[in-house]
Amino acid sequence: MEWGNYSMYADFVLLGLFSNTPFPWLLFALILLVFIISIASNTIMLILIYVDSRLHNPMYFLLSQLSIMDILYISTIVPKMLFDQVMGQRAISFANCTAQHFLYLTLAGAEFFLLGLMSYDRYVAICSPLRYSELMSRKVCLLIVVAAWLGGSVDGFLLTPVTMQFPFCASREINHFFCEVPALLKLSCVDTSAYETAMYVCCILMLLIPFSVISASYTKILITVYRMSEAEGRRKAVATCSSHMLVVSLFYGAAMYTYVLPHSYHSPEQDKAVSAFYTILTPMLNPLIYSLRNKDVMGALHKALGRCLSSGKVTTF
């Protein structure tokens, strides 16, 4: 399809993160390090959850899904960005931009829903511990995971075709490091205000639904914790929930800034900085926050390391 002198399927140019920094290779090294730590830490979480029987419970099953999402999430964006910096290129084809756009929306949406539904698990664990195995049965856990993935997929399937059907013109330079919706819409040759309004409402709903679940769950949790007579019980309850609340605050806060706050309140450079936070840093922080604050995970890690060291000694002798 042609729109004037512009082809709908021409390549784009990603301006990236490195162009405006005085030390591009230092930033490159930092992002590469974050990427390696993110992939390694999430993979370790998955392995520990799979091999250690103490982690075979609903909470860690949901955490394993979060790790899968984070691995796919950061892998959708960072490798392309790092490869382009090494090779000295910035172009991305229309097909690859569409695929990146779809995967980003799907994985981000799935993580929104999963984080929201994980608060239900914490609510049941603290407010109804005697019914935990019943209310968080294998079937319920599978339903939570399927709902999260389906919710993200609906977001990707709805928004991607509409976003990519607009005619893009001007210089086709995306002032971003990946094909994010707001940056793409700025290149359109036609008025996208109606679509932006619809997308705004969609994003509000996607944030509002899980946020409502989180608010209701943690209100009940706070009431239950306040009524606890034992200080040790309060401490464990707070420790169990604080890591989840920290992850939720980081992820939802950055997303609200990008998609809910009016564009007049932030610049393209600020958008890139915030996007880097929740697309690059958050996948690294999630496993570190959950593992370093969790005795079960650290115990499983020490046990696994002990096995590796003992098997190494046996092999040596």
Side-chain angles (χ1 to χ4, degrees):
M1 183 182 295
E2 298 286 337
W3 301 77
N5 296 323
Y6 303 103
S7 172
M8 181 179 174
Y9 302 106
D11 289 352
F12 296 99
V13 175
L14 291 169
L15 297 184
L17 276 176
F18 304 104
S19 56
N20 294 327
T21 177
F23 305 105
W25 289 104
L26 176 60
L27 182 60
F28 173 90
L30 288 173
I31 293 176
L32 177 61
L33 179 63
V34 169
F35 177 72
I36 293 171
I37 293 173
S38 178
I39 297 296
S41 57
N42 279 291
T43 301
I44 290 171
M45 279 288 290
L46 285 172
I47 294 172
L48 290 177
I49 291 169
Y50 178 76
V51 302
D52 197 299
S53 59
R54 291 176 298 177
L55 304 183
H56 292 175
N57 61 52
M59 183 180 79
Y60 292 107
F61 173 69
L62 298 179
L63 283 177
S64 70
Q65 296 300 307
L66 183 63
S67 289
I68 292 172
M69 290 176 186
D70 282 336
I71 290 172
L72 295 174
Y73 191 42
I74 196 170
S75 298
T76 299
I77 296 167
V78 174
K80 164 69 176 170
M81 180 172 59
L82 297 177
F83 179 80
D84 285 354
Q85 177 65 13
V86 172
M87 299 304 294
Q89 65 181 36
R90 296 179 180 179
I92 182 170
S93 68
F94 181 88
N96 287 338
C97 188
T98 302
Q100 188 183 67
H101 183 271
F102 170 76
L103 290 172
Y104 158 72
L105 288 175
T106 299
L107 293 166
E111 191 155 333
F112 282 137
F113 286 116
L114 182 64
L115 288 172
L117 292 169
M118 282 172 66
S119 65
Y120 172 73
D121 170 75
R122 295 300 83 212
Y123 160 73
V124 175
I126 294 173
C127 300
S128 301
L130 298 179
R131 300 184 61 199
Y132 184 76
S133 58
E134 174 191 348
L135 296 176
M136 287 300 297
S137 64
R138 182 178 179 83
K139 181 179 179 180
V140 172
C141 290
L142 290 174
L143 285 174
I144 287 175
V145 171
V146 170
W149 281 106
L150 281 179
S153 299
V154 168
D155 188 37
F157 279 114
L158 283 178
L159 296 182
T160 303
V162 180
T163 302
M164 302 309 292
Q165 61 85 32
F166 286 113
F168 300 106
C169 50
S171 63
R172 300 186 73 89
E173 291 183 344
I174 303 174
N175 191 10
H176 218 294
F177 57 91
F178 71 103
C179 294
E180 193 171 29
V181 184
L184 275 169
L185 293 179
K186 290 178 181 178
L187 304 183
S188 177
C189 301
V190 298
D191 181 20
T192 62
S193 57
Y195 173 58
E196 289 182 47
T197 301
M199 187 179 66
Y200 176 81
V201 173
C202 177
C203 291
I204 288 290
L205 291 175
M206 282 199 64
L207 291 169
L208 185 61
I209 292 172
F211 189 75
S212 299
V213 174
I214 292 169
S215 299
S217 297
Y218 279 96
T219 299
K220 290 283 188 179
I221 288 171
L222 288 174
I223 293 172
T224 302
V225 169
Y226 178 76
R227 291 175 178 173
M228 287 182 178
S229 57
E230 297 181 2
E232 181 65 17
R234 289 185 181 183
R235 188 190 65 78
K236 288 183 178 179
V238 171
T240 302
C241 298
S242 59
S243 58
H244 182 249
M245 284 302 298
L246 181 59
V247 171
V248 166
S249 300
L250 294 173
F251 199 68
Y252 278 69
M256 286 180 180
Y257 174 88
T258 301
Y259 290 99
V260 176
L261 194 69
H263 296 307
S264 58
Y265 287 89
H266 44 95
S267 67
E269 294 304 318
Q270 291 172 331
D271 287 342
K272 285 194 283 186
V274 173
S275 295
F277 180 82
Y278 73 83
T279 58
I280 300 174
L281 284 180
T282 302
M284 179 191 72
L285 293 175
N286 283 350
L288 297 180
I289 289 170
Y290 281 115
S291 61
L292 293 177
R293 295 175 59 86
N294 193 298
K295 292 182 179 180
D296 291 335
V297 174
M298 295 306 296
L301 180 60
H302 291 153
K303 184 179 177 182
L305 290 175
R307 287 179 179 176
C308 292
L309 292 173
S310 61
S311 63
K313 290 179 180 179
V314 171
T315 303
T316 302
F317 289 104

